Amino acid sequence: MEDDKVLAGMIHDYPDALSDRKRLQALLLDFFPQDRRKRNLLMIVYDDGIVAEMRGIGQIDKITLHRFVRSIEMGYDIRTKSAEAAVTTWVKAMGLAMDDRDDKTSTAVRDREASPSAEREWLPSESDSLYEYEETPRGLRILKFIDFDEPVVVIPNIIEGKKVIAVGNYAFKGCVGIEKIIVSDGIEILGNGVFLNCRELKKVELPESLRRIGTTDETGCPKILGSQTKYEGAFEYSGLEEVTIPNSVKYIGENSFASCGQLRRVVLPDKMKEIRENTFRWCKNLREVILPQELDVIRISAFEGCDDLQTVDLPEGVISIEEGAFAGCKSLESIYIPDSVIEIGGGKGTGFLKTFGEPKERHDGFTIRCNAGSYAMQYARAQQIRCARA
């Protein structure tokens, strides 16, 4: 049976799944058990808000379809054919009629609607610094910075008259003399380990055009250690002191800020759905985190070892806090857990890490703030953690 018909049948039988991310994820695993890539693509369309937008319309025109595909393609660094296939599967499964009327809209307007980054003008920024780079169908990808370190480096959005779309994996790895990085507007992707071990890198300015930090593309990214694949974080082991991630960013890869020992304050984008594995692990000086308002999941060991973190208020809508998410947070005095949380301690971990660490690792007065009768209250009682009224 065709994918869209399978998906349509699932929606018909379980209409509530479109309002419950975790349930949708479980159902896709049941209906497409052998095709992880297909499940991931369908979930990306859902997480991007496209499915919610589809539910409010009866038909779809070519401009809107193009906008959806471009959002997936550019926001998640997915090939056009794969993005088209995933979006089209949802369109057919939702029973949307195609509006084939002639389009009088100009190309410029079409491009603005298709790509949020094109809604604003960005100023060309060229650089005298030296880079190795390669061409891709969408623009240049910087492969390596081969100039001498300067205290301030501006990563250009134009090289030899061609647009830069991405800064590739490990491009600035080990550049210990750089203290500040300015990523020029127009750049959309920062690869894995791009600023790995930049120990003196204290400040970074990220543009509103940015869509991804880190990537799931395995080509040249991971290091294989035995049977495990390790993705090194974009800013791992850097000297960052604070960072504000623009709201345009939809994906932040695992380990992205791990072991940033000087990092004190982080502002995350409002629409980000999950904080991935080890994102802020061992950020010992981290004291303040502004969490996304649309956050669903905090993954394994996301904040493990953040010694200075004192209070955390999870936004309404969070569903799951996975194993070891706040283990080793010795100064954590309290955390607010909303009623939406239905799982604490899950995820595909080893089973050895408690979500908030062992009792001897916790602050003496550690308290879970929650509402009476909530899952969080039941968890606190089972784990013998003090709980208080939210």
Side-chain angles (χ1 to χ4, degrees):
M1 187 179 294
E2 295 177 3
D3 294 341
D4 57 281
K5 293 180 180 177
V6 174
L7 189 58
M10 187 196 77
I11 294 170
H12 179 269
D13 293 339
Y14 305 96
D16 60 319
L18 296 183
S19 303
D20 185 336
R21 184 183 190 278
K22 189 173 182 180
R23 182 164 174 74
L24 176 61
Q25 203 166 25
L27 286 168
L28 289 176
L29 181 59
D30 289 340
F31 281 81
F32 301 99
Q34 303 302 322
D35 201 331
R36 181 180 178 183
R37 183 172 179 274
K38 187 175 296 177
R39 296 196 307 269
N40 288 342
L41 285 168
L42 292 174
M43 282 303 303
I44 284 172
V45 178
Y46 178 86
D47 287 339
D48 200 60
I50 291 172
V51 174
E53 192 170 340
M54 287 180 182
R55 296 178 73 182
I57 58 178
Q59 63 180 12
I60 185 169
D61 57 37
K62 291 180 180 178
I63 295 177
T64 304
L65 182 64
H66 183 60
R67 173 165 61 84
F68 288 163
V69 171
R70 288 280 285 173
S71 181
I72 299 301
E73 177 191 5
M74 303 187 73
Y76 300 89
D77 196 23
I78 291 172
R79 294 187 180 187
T80 302
K81 287 186 178 179
S82 298
E84 286 176 348
V87 171
T88 303
T89 298
W90 274 109
V91 167
K92 292 180 179 178
M94 300 285 282
L96 299 185
M98 178 61 73
D99 182 356
D100 291 323
R101 288 176 298 177
D102 290 339
D103 173 32
K104 303 291 185 181
T105 310
S106 69
T107 301
V109 172
R110 182 191 298 271
D111 288 343
R112 283 199 299 272
E113 292 183 355
S115 173
S117 64
E119 291 175 0
R120 305 176 288 101
E121 294 290 336
W122 50 268
L123 298 176
S125 174
E126 298 200 49
S127 173
D128 294 332
S129 297
L130 302 177
Y131 296 92
E132 292 180 1
Y133 60 88
E134 65 179 1
E135 292 195 42
T136 76
R138 291 165 49 202
L140 300 185
R141 178 191 293 120
I142 290 174
L143 298 177
K144 191 173 182 180
F145 178 68
I146 55 175
D147 205 350
F148 291 103
D149 294 357
E150 297 288 342
V152 179
V153 171
V154 178
I155 301 178
N157 52 29
I158 297 288
I159 295 179
E160 296 185 359
K162 298 179 180 179
K163 184 181 185 300
V164 176
I165 193 77
V167 185
N169 306 318
Y170 309 113
F172 287 82
K173 178 181 176 181
C175 292
V176 296
I178 299 176
E179 298 176 10
K180 180 178 180 179
I181 288 281
I182 300 172
V183 182
S184 293
D185 204 4
I187 293 175
E188 299 177 9
I189 303 165
L190 298 178
N192 292 337
V194 62
F195 303 113
L196 180 69
N197 292 329
C198 292
R199 297 193 301 270
E200 297 301 316
L201 179 61
K202 297 178 175 62
K203 298 180 180 180
V204 62
E205 292 184 10
L206 302 175
E208 290 293 336
S209 59
L210 194 65
R211 297 286 177 265
R212 296 175 63 90
I213 298 175
T215 173
T216 52
D217 177 7
E218 296 185 2
T219 306
C221 295
K223 286 190 171 182
I224 307 299
L225 302 174
S227 61
Q228 294 183 342
T229 301
K230 181 181 185 297
Y231 292 95
E232 292 178 305
F235 294 91
E236 193 169 359
Y237 291 106
S238 74
L240 276 185
E241 295 177 348
E242 64 176 82
V243 63
T244 297
I245 312 296
N247 284 328
S248 56
V249 172
K250 299 177 180 179
Y251 176 92
I252 298 177
E254 58 193 69
N255 301 301
S256 284
F257 299 93
S259 297
C260 290
Q262 305 305 312
L263 188 62
R264 297 190 299 269
R265 183 175 188 270
V266 174
V267 180
L268 294 172
D270 282 342
K271 294 186 179 298
M272 195 170 75
K273 299 293 185 180
E274 61 180 285
I275 299 175
R276 294 181 64 83
E277 292 91 332
N278 309 320
T279 299
F280 298 102
R281 194 182 190 196
W282 307 122
C283 292
K284 294 183 176 295
N285 285 305
L286 185 62
R287 295 180 64 89
E288 183 182 6
V289 181
I290 309 301
L291 295 171
Q293 290 304 302
E294 298 186 15
L295 184 65
D296 285 336
V297 181
I298 300 176
R299 297 292 183 193
I300 294 170
S301 297
F303 293 96
E304 182 185 354
C306 292
D307 288 352
D308 277 4
L309 201 59
Q310 295 181 357
T311 60
V312 173
D313 291 330
L314 300 184
E316 303 293 335
V318 173
I319 297 170
S320 175
I321 311 168
E322 292 189 350
E323 178 186 333
F326 295 95
C329 295
K330 300 175 182 178
S331 300
L332 187 61
E333 298 175 5
S334 72
I335 181 170
Y336 168 65
I337 301 180
D339 291 354
S340 56
V341 171
I342 57 174
E343 180 183 56
I344 299 176
K348 297 180 180 179
T350 61
F352 293 108
L353 272 178
K354 293 185 181 297
T355 301
F356 301 101
E358 298 293 337
K360 62 183 180 181
E361 298 177 321
R362 301 173 193 148
H363 187 277
D364 289 340
F366 175 61
T367 302
I368 289 178
R369 292 177 284 119
C370 57
N371 294 317
S374 64
Y375 176 86
M377 186 178 192
Q378 298 174 33
Y379 174 87
R381 294 281 165 79
Q383 297 294 321
Q384 300 180 46
I385 297 173
R386 182 184 290 107
C387 62
R389 189 179 301 278

